[in-house]
Structure formats: C-alpha cells, structure tokens
Amino acid sequence: EIVMTQSPATLSVSPGERATLSCRASQSVGNNVAWYQQKPGQAPRLLIWGAFTRAPGIPARFSGSGSGTEFTLTISSLQSEDFAVYYCQWGVSFGPGTKVDIK
Amino acid sequence: QVQLVQSGAEVEKPGASVKVSCRVSGYSLSKLSMHWVRQSPGKGLEWLGGFDPEDRETIYAQKFQGRVTMTEDTSTDTVYIELSSLRSEDTAVYYCVIWEGSEDAITLVRGVQTGGYNWFDPWGQGTLVNVSS
C-alpha cells in the first residue's frame, strides 16, 4: 500500500509571499499526483493533476512539480483566498494535508 | 458541466445504517466512475470505494468491506452509499466524487500502476452523517 505524507503540517505565510508545500509517496508513483485545496465548510477543489497540469480555471500562481516519490506545490504569491488546507493524492490515497495560514 | 448534488444531513444511532444519495447532472451516470470519500471532523480524506463503469465492478476499501454498499440507479442518475453497523467513528462528511483520468481504479487499488493518471473531480457538496446515541 502506497502511503502519502505531507510537510509541513502547518505553514504560516504572509500575503504576497511564496508558499512551498511538500508531498512524499512511500514508493514511486511516476507523475500521478494530484493536489486539492479545501476551505472550511467546502468540498475539496482540484488544483493540479499529473503532478503539474493545472485544472481549468486555476490561477497560474499555483504550480506543481516533482516525480517518483517527491512532489511540490508552489503558490508563487499568496492571495487572501489561498489560505486553506492543501492535500496531495495518489490513486485512492490522500496525504494528511498542509494548512496554510496567515503569518 | 457535471454537477453532483447530495442528500441532506443524517443523524443515526450506533448500530444503525445510513444511506446517502448523490444525483448526477450534466452527464450520463452510466459512463462515470463514481466514488465516495469521507472526512471525519477536523481530519483528512479517506476513500471508501468506487465503481468502474467499464468493468461494471465495484471495489471497496478493505477497512469497510462487509459494512458498505454502493449502488446506482441509472434511471434517475443517482448513486447511493449505504454504511451499516454505524459507530461514533463513522461521524463524518461523506462526499461523492468522480474518478477521472486514464488509470483504472480497480487495477490501481489492486496494486498495478499502468503509468497513467487519475484525479477526483468534481466533488459533491458533502453530506454530514452524525452517529450519536
């Protein structure tokens, strides 16, 4: 069973700064990682699939990278609406999430 | 554009069963790979199971085998999840989601990667199931 882990658990960032979130798979998953954003009281929203392909309507400040076991989601300049919890996913496994909050 | 609309919140006692529905609009249910994911209060996302329309097979997470049943009614484009023998740990928001991509859900869950991709999109709005005595 492939297990997804994420770090850090919480990331405190000031608006306008860059945020870098990490996701690790317990064994190689190629480029098959997706990223989601979840705000309180809402369902998760797809941001990235295939490690780096943005979903329709997702702003260019969101970018994904990585392959094999190490993946990164970067938010280049945090906007107020970006403070949320972010999950990575492979197959049917989700990481535990990274909460991005205001510094 | 595909939209998923779920039934309303449920309150159940321990030991009871609950059935949650998810109506699909904007696409034919018969061509979709429908799955269910839940989220316990303040916790992460947990996959319960899903349906592969090509193989016509349903696969469940091992943790829920014997307690969960997923069905569909193509005449109303509605899918259902029923969870039995409820316990307090089943208190969660249950989401229906669509499995997208080239990876086959059944083979992936059984441990075979084919080099394709998969993701979940869109998601229903969620249904809170509260298990309390």
Side-chain angles (χ1 to χ4, degrees):
Chain A
E1 178 190 352
I2 294 178
V3 176
M4 308 298 286
T5 56
Q6 292 184 243
S7 62
T10 303
L11 185 62
S12 297
V13 186
S14 298
E17 288 187 341
R18 172 188 295 257
T20 302
L21 290 67
S22 296
C23 173
R24 175 176 290 179
S26 59
Q27 56 185 275
S28 178
V29 295
N31 291 333
N32 189 16
V33 163
W35 290 91
Y36 302 83
Q37 176 194 69
Q38 187 179 34
K39 297 179 181 179
Q42 296 183 17
R45 176 176 73 142
L46 176 70
L47 298 175
I48 301 278
W49 63 269
F52 54 81
T53 302
R54 275 190 301 277
I58 301 302
R61 63 180 182 274
F62 291 92
S63 63
S65 62
S67 67
T69 61
E70 302 284 342
F71 300 87
T72 300
L73 175 69
T74 302
I75 312 171
S76 60
S77 176
L78 270 157
Q79 307 297 302
S80 57
E81 62 267 28
D82 300 335
F83 292 98
V85 180
Y86 293 84
Y87 295 95
C88 64
Q89 168 250 327
W90 169 87
V92 299
S93 299
F94 293 88
T98 291
K99 181 179 181 180
V100 178
D101 65 16
I102 300 174
K103 188 174 182 180
Chain B
Q1 184 175 351
V2 183
Q3 288 191 312
L4 307 177
V5 179
Q6 299 184 221
S7 50
E10 303 272 6
V11 179
E12 301 291 348
K13 293 193 184 306
S17 297
V18 68
K19 192 170 186 177
V20 176
S21 69
C22 169
R23 184 173 55 84
V24 178
S25 62
Y27 205 78
S28 173
L29 175 60
S30 62
K31 298 180 182 179
L32 295 173
S33 181
M34 298 299 300
H35 290 243
W36 291 87
V37 173
R38 77 179 187 181
Q39 186 171 36
S40 301
K43 298 291 179 62
L45 301 163
E46 182 175 34
W47 177 79
L48 290 93
F51 179 73
D52 187 315
E54 291 193 9
D55 299 333
R56 305 298 300 171
E57 184 177 352
T58 302
I59 189 162
Y60 301 119
Q62 194 165 4
K63 174 179 177 178
F64 301 102
Q65 288 274 5
R67 280 211 303 143
V68 66
T69 305
M70 296 175 189
T71 55
E72 64 173 26
D73 181 347
T74 53
S75 68
T76 59
D77 284 327
T78 302
V79 294
Y80 302 88
I81 184 171
E82 184 169 16
L83 190 61
S84 62
S85 302
L86 289 169
R87 29 214 191 223
S88 59
E89 309 90 86
D90 293 319
T91 293
V93 175
Y94 289 74
Y95 296 100
C96 60
V97 297
I98 296 175
W99 172 290
E100 287 279 16
S102 55
E103 276 286 10
D104 180 83
I106 305 295
T107 55
L108 200 62
V109 170
R110 289 177 177 159
V112 178
Q113 298 186 59
T114 62
Y117 305 103
N118 82 278
W119 61 92
F120 292 108
D121 184 59
W123 296 60
Q125 85 275 20
T127 297
L128 174 63
V129 174
N130 188 351
V131 182
S132 174
S133 55

